[in-house]
Amino acid sequence: MPIGRRAVATLALLLGLATLGTPAGAQPVTRTGAQPVAPATSGLVLDTPTAATLTVDHPSLPLRYEVLPEVVDARVVLRTLDVSDPARPREVSRTLIHAVTGPRSVAIDGAGRRLYVAVRTNTHVLDLQAATSPVLLGRMADYMIRTHEHVQTAVVDDAVLGVRDLLVISSRLGGGDGCWTGTVHVYDTTGALQDTPVDVLESDVPAVAAGTPCPAPVLRTDGAARRLSLTWDVSAGAAAGQSGQMSPRMVRRDHVPYDVTADYVALVGVCLIT
């Protein structure tokens, strides 16, 4: 994990783990009753970011969101389509998004409240309260991310912490076979945190041998131990994290203290949308 604000916050939390519900000196607990959930797949173009239209479907409504690849006057177009009749999609609205380069990826949260569009220089956040007319709220203002190449969302249901919405942003793409490189940043966007996402974990993408599937991040919470883990899995889409032990398909697992209290949020810090 890179040295920076996350390492400082993690050290501070480790020194006070007893206040988070974990006995001092206890070993991290990585097995959880909550079902581990891999971030949802979203549109992704590796080498030619302006070559394809990126799409994502609303989780509960017959709506599809398309980000067109063309950049015109430093803008890209987000189209909202009514797909009640899949054979005849109907455009219902258009939203302009600032972009110096073509869009990289698009994702929607599990509740259908927020849409995220990565355009390399930043990740745009759109409100979906009126799902047919997305409203641009602003950009993720996080100085730790130099490039925004890939955005994903995940929903983790924890017996202690409840349902948590997580956002994953990858800072770079490249490397062998088009695999991710660089660092991923995980944010808690649950409830009111959708407006002030909390940067809860950072993890460097592990290098893998030639011919190995690209490692994918799998997130797990352990509410009883107040911990969040990210496992890098190379099983090429297989259900990951079913065992509490490392397996050959798991390249590395990172752990950090994780909680939902106001004190934790204040200590870790939030990312503003500007």
Side-chain angles (χ1 to χ4, degrees):
M1 185 176 300
I3 299 299
R5 65 173 181 213
R6 181 65 44 240
V8 173
T10 298
L11 176 60
L13 285 169
L14 286 171
L15 293 175
L17 273 180
T19 62
L20 297 180
T22 302
Q27 293 298 313
V29 178
T30 58
R31 183 58 177 157
T32 173
Q35 182 73 9
V37 179
T41 301
S42 61
L44 172 63
V45 179
L46 287 178
D47 299 317
T48 52
T50 60
T53 296
L54 304 179
T55 66
V56 66
D57 290 333
H58 194 283
S60 59
L61 298 175
L63 295 173
R64 176 169 299 156
Y65 302 99
E66 293 186 345
V67 184
L68 303 184
E70 296 83 7
V71 179
V72 179
D73 296 330
R75 298 287 191 275
V76 293
V77 173
L78 167 69
R79 297 202 310 160
T80 303
L81 304 176
D82 183 334
V83 291
S84 299
D85 181 353
R88 296 179 177 82
R90 180 176 62 88
E91 181 176 316
V92 294
S93 69
R94 288 195 170 203
T95 306
L96 294 179
I97 300 174
H98 181 269
V100 178
T101 64
R104 259 47 179 185
S105 124
V106 60
I108 192 171
D109 70 6
R113 303 171 308 162
R114 289 288 187 269
L115 187 72
Y116 302 95
V117 180
V119 293
R120 187 174 177 81
T121 54
N122 49 66
T123 294
H124 291 284
V125 183
L126 295 99
D127 179 74
L128 297 180
Q129 183 174 356
T132 57
S133 301
V135 175
L136 184 62
L137 298 178
R139 300 170 293 180
M140 298 278 289
D142 191 335
Y143 69 91
M144 295 293 287
I145 306 179
R146 295 183 179 180
T147 59
H148 299 241
E149 293 286 358
H150 190 217
V151 59
Q152 297 172 283
T153 59
V155 178
V156 179
D157 190 0
D158 187 277
V160 176
L161 302 176
V163 177
R164 309 303 298 175
D165 291 309
L166 302 174
L167 172 68
V168 184
I169 297 177
S170 174
S171 62
R172 199 185 330 153
L173 288 172
D177 300 323
C179 294
W180 297 6
T181 62
T183 304
V184 297
H185 302 256
V186 181
Y187 299 88
D188 190 336
T189 59
T190 307
L193 296 181
Q194 65 184 356
D195 297 321
T196 52
V198 178
D199 187 359
V200 293
L201 188 151
E202 296 164 6
S203 179
D204 291 329
V205 181
V208 295
T212 303
C214 294
V218 179
L219 298 164
R220 177 189 283 113
T221 59
D222 185 345
R226 298 299 196 270
R227 300 200 62 87
L228 172 69
S229 68
L230 184 151
T231 298
W232 288 101
D233 180 82
V234 291
S235 58
Q242 299 303 314
S243 169
Q245 303 298 320
M246 292 289 286
S247 72
R249 71 189 181 201
M250 298 181 187
V251 180
R252 193 184 71 237
R253 179 180 289 156
D254 295 331
H255 312 268
V256 293
Y258 174 68
D259 209 340
V260 298
T261 65
D263 288 343
Y264 168 81
V265 172
L267 179 60
V268 175
V270 300
C271 174
L272 299 179
I273 297 174
T274 61

